[in-house]
Amino acid sequence: EGDKEEKHIGTQTLVCGPDSNWASIMQCFFSAITMARKHIYIVSPYFTPNESVLNAIKIAALGNIDVRIMLPDKSDTRIAHYSTMSYIGELLEAGVKIFLFKKGFNHSKVVSIDGEVCIVGSANMDMRSFEHNFEANMLIYNKQTNQIMKEQFFDDIKDSSKITLSSWQKRPKSQS
């Protein structure tokens, strides 16, 4: 009896695409972020959220929820990199902790909420995934799986550099 391992893993599959009237993956991200009470850990190679998701992230951080976002240090496209970087200042000002992954191009797409649910799949946290691409994500409701995702996130932080607000404000103009 005692400490039994969870034998069942609760999951939900979520798909979206341009053939749908609903931005279901964006709505899922928004809902999960607004329900967080302890932490939100996000890994996305392309980060250009819409205003709703961006505001949900900032409001969570302003509400003393530990919000951490891991982005690639170097993107595979210049436009995506500069687009992602355009959000850094306002996220840092809201208290979001931003990490740039240095050990290659991390193409993972993960959102972890409170160790209770994680969202993994093909969707980036960007407008293309929200509205234009066919995407599939899975919500996983399992504490052991969520613990593994959390441990992987913190393992990857070891290969990342943290951006501080002061270092961001002092960056060279060429990086603006």
Side-chain angles (χ1 to χ4, degrees):
E1 299 291 308
D3 288 335
K4 284 187 179 178
E5 281 188 43
E6 289 184 61
K7 295 192 190 279
H8 301 286
I9 297 177
T11 62
Q12 276 181 288
T13 302
L14 194 58
V15 296
C16 72
D19 60 343
S20 174
N21 292 330
W22 297 96
S24 56
I25 288 179
M26 182 280 296
Q27 292 166 341
C28 174
F29 284 151
F30 176 84
S31 179
I33 291 164
T34 59
M35 292 174 64
R37 296 295 170 250
K38 298 177 209 158
H39 74 256
I40 303 166
Y41 303 143
I42 298 170
V43 181
S44 185
Y46 310 110
F47 184 85
T48 56
N50 66 4
E51 188 174 355
S52 297
V53 171
L54 180 65
N55 283 333
I57 291 168
K58 293 189 304 186
I59 289 166
L62 290 165
N64 289 324
I65 293 171
D66 180 21
V67 181
R68 298 173 189 235
I69 301 176
M70 187 178 307
L71 305 167
D73 182 46
K74 292 182 175 45
S75 183
D76 58 348
T77 72
R78 185 174 288 191
I79 291 171
H81 177 75
Y82 285 116
S83 180
T84 294
M85 293 298 115
S86 72
Y87 293 91
I88 301 296
E90 65 185 295
L91 289 165
L92 290 170
E93 287 172 0
V96 175
K97 298 169 190 83
I98 307 284
F99 299 88
L100 298 180
F101 186 73
K102 302 268 188 197
K103 195 175 178 183
F105 183 65
N106 187 345
H107 208 261
S108 303
K109 294 117 175 152
V110 179
V111 177
S112 173
I113 306 290
D114 293 343
E116 300 290 328
V117 63
C118 61
I119 306 164
V120 298
S122 66
N124 294 292
M125 194 157 293
D126 71 357
M127 295 299 292
R128 291 186 58 82
S129 287
F130 292 168
E131 296 184 11
H132 302 294
N133 296 346
F134 288 98
E135 304 285 3
N137 276 10
M138 181 167 285
L139 287 81
I140 303 170
Y141 305 95
N142 176 273
K143 289 187 182 197
Q144 284 85 11
T145 302
N146 277 274
Q147 182 63 31
I148 291 167
M149 299 304 274
K150 181 180 175 181
E151 288 169 7
Q152 184 62 56
F153 184 86
F154 281 96
D155 252 10
D156 289 342
I157 279 182
K158 295 173 190 170
D159 294 316
S160 303
S161 62
K162 185 176 181 183
I163 301 176
T164 63
L165 184 57
S166 63
S167 69
W168 183 252
Q169 291 169 337
K170 294 175 188 170
R171 75 193 181 285
K173 292 288 182 199
S174 63
Q175 293 179 12
S176 296

PDB file of all heavy atoms in Angstrom, residues 77-108:
ATOM      1  N   THR A  77      16.443  30.920 -37.519  1.00  0.00           N
ATOM      2  CA  THR A  77      16.086  31.995 -38.447  1.00  0.00           C
ATOM      3  C   THR A  77      16.274  33.340 -37.749  1.00  0.00           C
ATOM      4  O   THR A  77      15.913  33.510 -36.586  1.00  0.00           O
ATOM      5  CB  THR A  77      14.632  31.906 -38.956  1.00  0.00           C
ATOM      6  OG1 THR A  77      13.739  32.247 -37.908  1.00  0.00           O
ATOM      7  CG2 THR A  77      14.296  30.524 -39.487  1.00  0.00           C
ATOM      8  N   ARG A  78      16.842  34.264 -38.459  1.00  0.00           N
ATOM      9  CA  ARG A  78      17.104  35.592 -37.907  1.00  0.00           C
ATOM     10  C   ARG A  78      15.811  36.327 -37.552  1.00  0.00           C
ATOM     11  O   ARG A  78      15.710  36.947 -36.489  1.00  0.00           O
ATOM     12  CB  ARG A  78      17.929  36.408 -38.916  1.00  0.00           C
ATOM     13  CG  ARG A  78      18.363  37.754 -38.382  1.00  0.00           C
ATOM     14  CD  ARG A  78      19.275  38.425 -39.332  1.00  0.00           C
ATOM     15  NE  ARG A  78      20.539  37.696 -39.263  1.00  0.00           N
ATOM     16  CZ  ARG A  78      21.663  38.104 -39.800  1.00  0.00           C
ATOM     17  NH1 ARG A  78      21.683  39.215 -40.480  1.00  0.00           N
ATOM     18  NH2 ARG A  78      22.760  37.412 -39.677  1.00  0.00           N
ATOM     19  N   ILE A  79      14.824  36.228 -38.417  1.00  0.00           N
ATOM     20  CA  ILE A  79      13.553  36.918 -38.165  1.00  0.00           C
ATOM     21  C   ILE A  79      12.904  36.396 -36.890  1.00  0.00           C
ATOM     22  O   ILE A  79      12.429  37.175 -36.066  1.00  0.00           O
ATOM     23  CB  ILE A  79      12.602  36.776 -39.373  1.00  0.00           C
ATOM     24  CG1 ILE A  79      13.143  37.583 -40.549  1.00  0.00           C
ATOM     25  CG2 ILE A  79      11.195  37.218 -39.022  1.00  0.00           C
ATOM     26  CD1 ILE A  79      12.418  37.361 -41.853  1.00  0.00           C
ATOM     27  N   ALA A  80      12.881  35.077 -36.723  1.00  0.00           N
ATOM     28  CA  ALA A  80      12.289  34.494 -35.515  1.00  0.00           C
ATOM     29  C   ALA A  80      13.044  34.951 -34.274  1.00  0.00           C
ATOM     30  O   ALA A  80      12.439  35.270 -33.244  1.00  0.00           O
ATOM     31  CB  ALA A  80      12.289  32.970 -35.606  1.00  0.00           C
ATOM     32  N   HIS A  81      14.364  35.001 -34.366  1.00  0.00           N
ATOM     33  CA  HIS A  81      15.173  35.425 -33.222  1.00  0.00           C
ATOM     34  C   HIS A  81      14.846  36.865 -32.817  1.00  0.00           C
ATOM     35  O   HIS A  81      14.569  37.135 -31.644  1.00  0.00           O
ATOM     36  CB  HIS A  81      16.660  35.290 -33.555  1.00  0.00           C
ATOM     37  CG  HIS A  81      17.560  35.762 -32.464  1.00  0.00           C
ATOM     38  ND1 HIS A  81      17.761  35.029 -31.311  1.00  0.00           N
ATOM     39  CD2 HIS A  81      18.288  36.901 -32.331  1.00  0.00           C
ATOM     40  CE1 HIS A  81      18.582  35.704 -30.512  1.00  0.00           C
ATOM     41  NE2 HIS A  81      18.915  36.823 -31.110  1.00  0.00           N
ATOM     42  N   TYR A  82      14.846  37.775 -33.775  1.00  0.00           N
ATOM     43  CA  TYR A  82      14.569  39.176 -33.448  1.00  0.00           C
ATOM     44  C   TYR A  82      13.128  39.366 -32.988  1.00  0.00           C
ATOM     45  O   TYR A  82      12.861  40.164 -32.087  1.00  0.00           O
ATOM     46  CB  TYR A  82      14.902  40.097 -34.621  1.00  0.00           C
ATOM     47  CG  TYR A  82      16.390  40.302 -34.780  1.00  0.00           C
ATOM     48  CD1 TYR A  82      17.065  39.869 -35.918  1.00  0.00           C
ATOM     49  CD2 TYR A  82      17.133  40.914 -33.777  1.00  0.00           C
ATOM     50  CE1 TYR A  82      18.435  40.043 -36.051  1.00  0.00           C
ATOM     51  CE2 TYR A  82      18.500  41.094 -33.896  1.00  0.00           C
ATOM     52  CZ  TYR A  82      19.145  40.651 -35.035  1.00  0.00           C
ATOM     53  OH  TYR A  82      20.494  40.832 -35.150  1.00  0.00           O
ATOM     54  N   SER A  83      12.224  38.615 -33.551  1.00  0.00           N
ATOM     55  CA  SER A  83      10.833  38.688 -33.113  1.00  0.00           C
ATOM     56  C   SER A  83      10.700  38.234 -31.657  1.00  0.00           C
ATOM     57  O   SER A  83      10.073  38.901 -30.835  1.00  0.00           O
ATOM     58  CB  SER A  83       9.969  37.816 -34.028  1.00  0.00           C
ATOM     59  OG  SER A  83       8.633  37.874 -33.624  1.00  0.00           O
ATOM     60  N   THR A  84      11.323  37.109 -31.327  1.00  0.00           N
ATOM     61  CA  THR A  84      11.312  36.607 -29.949  1.00  0.00           C
ATOM     62  C   THR A  84      11.943  37.614 -28.997  1.00  0.00           C
ATOM     63  O   THR A  84      11.399  37.905 -27.929  1.00  0.00           O
ATOM     64  CB  THR A  84      12.052  35.255 -29.876  1.00  0.00           C
ATOM     65  OG1 THR A  84      11.300  34.288 -30.614  1.00  0.00           O
ATOM     66  CG2 THR A  84      12.218  34.787 -28.447  1.00  0.00           C
ATOM     67  N   MET A  85      13.081  38.155 -29.385  1.00  0.00           N
ATOM     68  CA  MET A  85      13.797  39.091 -28.514  1.00  0.00           C
ATOM     69  C   MET A  85      13.002  40.370 -28.255  1.00  0.00           C
ATOM     70  O   MET A  85      13.206  41.033 -27.237  1.00  0.00           O
ATOM     71  CB  MET A  85      15.164  39.435 -29.106  1.00  0.00           C
ATOM     72  CG  MET A  85      16.144  38.264 -29.155  1.00  0.00           C
ATOM     73  SD  MET A  85      16.555  37.589 -27.529  1.00  0.00           S
ATOM     74  CE  MET A  85      15.879  35.943 -27.641  1.00  0.00           C
ATOM     75  N   SER A  86      12.066  40.699 -29.126  1.00  0.00           N
ATOM     76  CA  SER A  86      11.279  41.929 -28.948  1.00  0.00           C
ATOM     77  C   SER A  86      10.384  41.867 -27.708  1.00  0.00           C
ATOM     78  O   SER A  86       9.902  42.904 -27.250  1.00  0.00           O
ATOM     79  CB  SER A  86      10.447  42.217 -30.199  1.00  0.00           C
ATOM     80  OG  SER A  86       9.371  41.300 -30.318  1.00  0.00           O
ATOM     81  N   TYR A  87      10.167  40.685 -27.154  1.00  0.00           N
ATOM     82  CA  TYR A  87       9.317  40.534 -25.966  1.00  0.00           C
ATOM     83  C   TYR A  87      10.096  40.534 -24.658  1.00  0.00           C
ATOM     84  O   TYR A  87       9.507  40.636 -23.586  1.00  0.00           O
ATOM     85  CB  TYR A  87       8.518  39.224 -26.064  1.00  0.00           C
ATOM     86  CG  TYR A  87       7.507  39.224 -27.170  1.00  0.00           C
ATOM     87  CD1 TYR A  87       7.842  38.765 -28.440  1.00  0.00           C
ATOM     88  CD2 TYR A  87       6.222  39.699 -26.958  1.00  0.00           C
ATOM     89  CE1 TYR A  87       6.919  38.782 -29.475  1.00  0.00           C
ATOM     90  CE2 TYR A  87       5.289  39.713 -27.980  1.00  0.00           C
ATOM     91  CZ  TYR A  87       5.653  39.262 -29.236  1.00  0.00           C
ATOM     92  OH  TYR A  87       4.744  39.286 -30.263  1.00  0.00           O
ATOM     93  N   ILE A  88      11.408  40.419 -24.728  1.00  0.00           N
ATOM     94  CA  ILE A  88      12.226  40.208 -23.531  1.00  0.00           C
ATOM     95  C   ILE A  88      12.087  41.329 -22.506  1.00  0.00           C
ATOM     96  O   ILE A  88      11.875  41.075 -21.321  1.00  0.00           O
ATOM     97  CB  ILE A  88      13.713  40.009 -23.909  1.00  0.00           C
ATOM     98  CG1 ILE A  88      13.881  38.810 -24.836  1.00  0.00           C
ATOM     99  CG2 ILE A  88      14.593  39.895 -22.668  1.00  0.00           C
ATOM    100  CD1 ILE A  88      13.523  37.492 -24.247  1.00  0.00           C
ATOM    101  N   GLY A  89      12.210  42.572 -22.938  1.00  0.00           N
ATOM    102  CA  GLY A  89      12.177  43.704 -22.010  1.00  0.00           C
ATOM    103  C   GLY A  89      10.930  43.741 -21.159  1.00  0.00           C
ATOM    104  O   GLY A  89      10.999  43.833 -19.923  1.00  0.00           O
ATOM    105  N   GLU A  90       9.773  43.653 -21.793  1.00  0.00           N
ATOM    106  CA  GLU A  90       8.529  43.746 -21.016  1.00  0.00           C
ATOM    107  C   GLU A  90       8.318  42.527 -20.115  1.00  0.00           C
ATOM    108  O   GLU A  90       7.751  42.650 -19.032  1.00  0.00           O
ATOM    109  CB  GLU A  90       7.324  43.997 -21.919  1.00  0.00           C
ATOM    110  CG  GLU A  90       6.980  42.908 -22.874  1.00  0.00           C
ATOM    111  CD  GLU A  90       5.849  43.296 -23.818  1.00  0.00           C
ATOM    112  OE1 GLU A  90       4.711  43.502 -23.356  1.00  0.00           O
ATOM    113  OE2 GLU A  90       6.131  43.394 -25.030  1.00  0.00           O
ATOM    114  N   LEU A  91       8.795  41.365 -20.541  1.00  0.00           N
ATOM    115  CA  LEU A  91       8.701  40.183 -19.683  1.00  0.00           C
ATOM    116  C   LEU A  91       9.592  40.325 -18.452  1.00  0.00           C
ATOM    117  O   LEU A  91       9.161  40.034 -17.330  1.00  0.00           O
ATOM    118  CB  LEU A  91       9.073  38.925 -20.471  1.00  0.00           C
ATOM    119  CG  LEU A  91       8.063  38.483 -21.532  1.00  0.00           C
ATOM    120  CD1 LEU A  91       8.689  37.471 -22.477  1.00  0.00           C
ATOM    121  CD2 LEU A  91       6.796  37.933 -20.888  1.00  0.00           C
ATOM    122  N   LEU A  92      10.817  40.795 -18.667  1.00  0.00           N
ATOM    123  CA  LEU A  92      11.725  41.011 -17.531  1.00  0.00           C
ATOM    124  C   LEU A  92      11.165  42.057 -16.570  1.00  0.00           C
ATOM    125  O   LEU A  92      11.237  41.886 -15.347  1.00  0.00           O
ATOM    126  CB  LEU A  92      13.109  41.440 -18.030  1.00  0.00           C
ATOM    127  CG  LEU A  92      13.924  40.366 -18.758  1.00  0.00           C
ATOM    128  CD1 LEU A  92      15.155  40.996 -19.406  1.00  0.00           C
ATOM    129  CD2 LEU A  92      14.312  39.239 -17.828  1.00  0.00           C
ATOM    130  N   GLU A  93      10.596  43.111 -17.101  1.00  0.00           N
ATOM    131  CA  GLU A  93      10.012  44.152 -16.248  1.00  0.00           C
ATOM    132  C   GLU A  93       8.872  43.612 -15.389  1.00  0.00           C
ATOM    133  O   GLU A  93       8.644  44.093 -14.279  1.00  0.00           O
ATOM    134  CB  GLU A  93       9.536  45.328 -17.097  1.00  0.00           C
ATOM    135  CG  GLU A  93      10.685  46.157 -17.648  1.00  0.00           C
ATOM    136  CD  GLU A  93      10.253  47.220 -18.639  1.00  0.00           C
ATOM    137  OE1 GLU A  93       9.037  47.335 -18.934  1.00  0.00           O
ATOM    138  OE2 GLU A  93      11.137  47.937 -19.142  1.00  0.00           O
ATOM    139  N   ALA A  94       8.163  42.616 -15.896  1.00  0.00           N
ATOM    140  CA  ALA A  94       7.062  42.006 -15.138  1.00  0.00           C
ATOM    141  C   ALA A  94       7.556  40.976 -14.126  1.00  0.00           C
ATOM    142  O   ALA A  94       6.774  40.478 -13.326  1.00  0.00           O
ATOM    143  CB  ALA A  94       6.067  41.358 -16.101  1.00  0.00           C
ATOM    144  N   GLY A  95       8.850  40.638 -14.181  1.00  0.00           N
ATOM    145  CA  GLY A  95       9.394  39.677 -13.230  1.00  0.00           C
ATOM    146  C   GLY A  95       9.573  38.268 -13.789  1.00  0.00           C
ATOM    147  O   GLY A  95       9.883  37.335 -13.037  1.00  0.00           O
ATOM    148  N   VAL A  96       9.368  38.091 -15.086  1.00  0.00           N
ATOM    149  CA  VAL A  96       9.599  36.791 -15.709  1.00  0.00           C
ATOM    150  C   VAL A  96      11.100  36.551 -15.780  1.00  0.00           C
ATOM    151  O   VAL A  96      11.874  37.458 -16.090  1.00  0.00           O
ATOM    152  CB  VAL A  96       8.978  36.747 -17.132  1.00  0.00           C
ATOM    153  CG1 VAL A  96       9.315  35.434 -17.838  1.00  0.00           C
ATOM    154  CG2 VAL A  96       7.468  36.961 -17.064  1.00  0.00           C
ATOM    155  N   LYS A  97      11.510  35.334 -15.481  1.00  0.00           N
ATOM    156  CA  LYS A  97      12.930  34.959 -15.578  1.00  0.00           C
ATOM    157  C   LYS A  97      13.149  34.344 -16.956  1.00  0.00           C
ATOM    158  O   LYS A  97      12.468  33.388 -17.326  1.00  0.00           O
ATOM    159  CB  LYS A  97      13.297  33.980 -14.465  1.00  0.00           C
ATOM    160  CG  LYS A  97      13.130  34.587 -13.070  1.00  0.00           C
ATOM    161  CD  LYS A  97      13.254  33.501 -12.000  1.00  0.00           C
ATOM    162  CE  LYS A  97      12.861  34.032 -10.654  1.00  0.00           C
ATOM    163  NZ  LYS A  97      11.414  34.026 -10.412  1.00  0.00           N
ATOM    164  N   ILE A  98      14.103  34.913 -17.689  1.00  0.00           N
ATOM    165  CA  ILE A  98      14.369  34.479 -19.061  1.00  0.00           C
ATOM    166  C   ILE A  98      15.742  33.822 -19.123  1.00  0.00           C
ATOM    167  O   ILE A  98      16.727  34.370 -18.618  1.00  0.00           O
ATOM    168  CB  ILE A  98      14.340  35.669 -20.046  1.00  0.00           C
ATOM    169  CG1 ILE A  98      13.050  36.474 -19.915  1.00  0.00           C
ATOM    170  CG2 ILE A  98      14.595  35.192 -21.474  1.00  0.00           C
ATOM    171  CD1 ILE A  98      11.841  35.847 -20.524  1.00  0.00           C
ATOM    172  N   PHE A  99      15.802  32.660 -19.763  1.00  0.00           N
ATOM    173  CA  PHE A  99      17.046  31.917 -19.934  1.00  0.00           C
ATOM    174  C   PHE A  99      17.266  31.647 -21.412  1.00  0.00           C
ATOM    175  O   PHE A  99      16.331  31.275 -22.121  1.00  0.00           O
ATOM    176  CB  PHE A  99      16.980  30.591 -19.168  1.00  0.00           C
ATOM    177  CG  PHE A  99      16.795  30.767 -17.696  1.00  0.00           C
ATOM    178  CD1 PHE A  99      15.526  30.872 -17.150  1.00  0.00           C
ATOM    179  CD2 PHE A  99      17.895  30.850 -16.856  1.00  0.00           C
ATOM    180  CE1 PHE A  99      15.351  31.056 -15.787  1.00  0.00           C
ATOM    181  CE2 PHE A  99      17.734  31.029 -15.486  1.00  0.00           C
ATOM    182  CZ  PHE A  99      16.459  31.133 -14.952  1.00  0.00           C
ATOM    183  N   LEU A 100      18.504  31.811 -21.857  1.00  0.00           N
ATOM    184  CA  LEU A 100      18.873  31.497 -23.230  1.00  0.00           C
ATOM    185  C   LEU A 100      19.681  30.212 -23.231  1.00  0.00           C
ATOM    186  O   LEU A 100      20.763  30.150 -22.640  1.00  0.00           O
ATOM    187  CB  LEU A 100      19.684  32.640 -23.850  1.00  0.00           C
ATOM    188  CG  LEU A 100      18.958  33.975 -23.966  1.00  0.00           C
ATOM    189  CD1 LEU A 100      19.875  35.022 -24.587  1.00  0.00           C
ATOM    190  CD2 LEU A 100      17.664  33.840 -24.764  1.00  0.00           C
ATOM    191  N   PHE A 101      19.143  29.199 -23.877  1.00  0.00           N
ATOM    192  CA  PHE A 101      19.780  27.886 -23.939  1.00  0.00           C
ATOM    193  C   PHE A 101      20.974  27.954 -24.886  1.00  0.00           C
ATOM    194  O   PHE A 101      20.849  28.352 -26.039  1.00  0.00           O
ATOM    195  CB  PHE A 101      18.769  26.840 -24.414  1.00  0.00           C
ATOM    196  CG  PHE A 101      19.289  25.437 -24.386  1.00  0.00           C
ATOM    197  CD1 PHE A 101      19.469  24.769 -23.187  1.00  0.00           C
ATOM    198  CD2 PHE A 101      19.599  24.781 -25.567  1.00  0.00           C
ATOM    199  CE1 PHE A 101      19.934  23.467 -23.153  1.00  0.00           C
ATOM    200  CE2 PHE A 101      20.069  23.475 -25.549  1.00  0.00           C
ATOM    201  CZ  PHE A 101      20.240  22.824 -24.341  1.00  0.00           C
ATOM    202  N   LYS A 102      22.155  27.572 -24.388  1.00  0.00           N
ATOM    203  CA  LYS A 102      23.412  27.733 -25.123  1.00  0.00           C
ATOM    204  C   LYS A 102      23.901  26.463 -25.803  1.00  0.00           C
ATOM    205  O   LYS A 102      24.766  26.528 -26.663  1.00  0.00           O
ATOM    206  CB  LYS A 102      24.511  28.199 -24.161  1.00  0.00           C
ATOM    207  CG  LYS A 102      24.202  29.480 -23.445  1.00  0.00           C
ATOM    208  CD  LYS A 102      24.737  30.625 -24.209  1.00  0.00           C
ATOM    209  CE  LYS A 102      24.611  31.903 -23.414  1.00  0.00           C
ATOM    210  NZ  LYS A 102      24.749  33.050 -24.270  1.00  0.00           N
ATOM    211  N   LYS A 103      23.379  25.323 -25.413  1.00  0.00           N
ATOM    212  CA  LYS A 103      23.943  24.049 -25.873  1.00  0.00           C
ATOM    213  C   LYS A 103      23.156  23.531 -27.088  1.00  0.00           C
ATOM    214  O   LYS A 103      22.446  22.542 -27.017  1.00  0.00           O
ATOM    215  CB  LYS A 103      23.898  23.043 -24.729  1.00  0.00           C
ATOM    216  CG  LYS A 103      24.748  21.831 -24.924  1.00  0.00           C
ATOM    217  CD  LYS A 103      24.719  20.980 -23.669  1.00  0.00           C
ATOM    218  CE  LYS A 103      25.540  19.722 -23.841  1.00  0.00           C
ATOM    219  NZ  LYS A 103      25.463  18.874 -22.660  1.00  0.00           N
ATOM    220  N   GLY A 104      23.286  24.242 -28.201  1.00  0.00           N
ATOM    221  CA  GLY A 104      22.567  23.842 -29.411  1.00  0.00           C
ATOM    222  C   GLY A 104      21.214  24.512 -29.508  1.00  0.00           C
ATOM    223  O   GLY A 104      20.882  25.413 -28.739  1.00  0.00           O
ATOM    224  N   PHE A 105      20.448  24.072 -30.471  1.00  0.00           N
ATOM    225  CA  PHE A 105      19.116  24.631 -30.707  1.00  0.00           C
ATOM    226  C   PHE A 105      18.079  23.712 -30.070  1.00  0.00           C
ATOM    227  O   PHE A 105      17.815  22.621 -30.558  1.00  0.00           O
ATOM    228  CB  PHE A 105      18.868  24.774 -32.209  1.00  0.00           C
ATOM    229  CG  PHE A 105      17.551  25.418 -32.543  1.00  0.00           C
ATOM    230  CD1 PHE A 105      17.300  26.735 -32.184  1.00  0.00           C
ATOM    231  CD2 PHE A 105      16.578  24.722 -33.224  1.00  0.00           C
ATOM    232  CE1 PHE A 105      16.087  27.334 -32.490  1.00  0.00           C
ATOM    233  CE2 PHE A 105      15.367  25.312 -33.540  1.00  0.00           C
ATOM    234  CZ  PHE A 105      15.118  26.622 -33.172  1.00  0.00           C
ATOM    235  N   ASN A 106      17.521  24.136 -28.941  1.00  0.00           N
ATOM    236  CA  ASN A 106      16.509  23.360 -28.229  1.00  0.00           C
ATOM    237  C   ASN A 106      15.174  23.575 -28.930  1.00  0.00           C
ATOM    238  O   ASN A 106      14.619  24.660 -28.892  1.00  0.00           O
ATOM    239  CB  ASN A 106      16.443  23.799 -26.768  1.00  0.00           C
ATOM    240  CG  ASN A 106      15.531  22.924 -25.951  1.00  0.00           C
ATOM    241  OD1 ASN A 106      14.734  22.156 -26.474  1.00  0.00           O
ATOM    242  ND2 ASN A 106      15.644  23.041 -24.634  1.00  0.00           N
ATOM    243  N   HIS A 107      14.671  22.535 -29.561  1.00  0.00           N
ATOM    244  CA  HIS A 107      13.427  22.639 -30.329  1.00  0.00           C
ATOM    245  C   HIS A 107      12.226  22.138 -29.532  1.00  0.00           C
ATOM    246  O   HIS A 107      11.131  21.974 -30.059  1.00  0.00           O
ATOM    247  CB  HIS A 107      13.568  21.855 -31.638  1.00  0.00           C
ATOM    248  CG  HIS A 107      12.725  22.383 -32.734  1.00  0.00           C
ATOM    249  ND1 HIS A 107      11.514  21.821 -33.059  1.00  0.00           N
ATOM    250  CD2 HIS A 107      12.899  23.418 -33.569  1.00  0.00           C
ATOM    251  CE1 HIS A 107      10.971  22.490 -34.053  1.00  0.00           C
ATOM    252  NE2 HIS A 107      11.794  23.464 -34.391  1.00  0.00           N
ATOM    253  N   SER A 108      12.407  21.919 -28.228  1.00  0.00           N
ATOM    254  CA  SER A 108      11.313  21.446 -27.369  1.00  0.00           C
ATOM    255  C   SER A 108      10.232  22.501 -27.243  1.00  0.00           C
ATOM    256  O   SER A 108      10.509  23.698 -27.254  1.00  0.00           O
ATOM    257  CB  SER A 108      11.846  21.134 -25.971  1.00  0.00           C
ATOM    258  OG  SER A 108      12.877  20.195 -26.022  1.00  0.00           O
TER     259      SER A 108
END
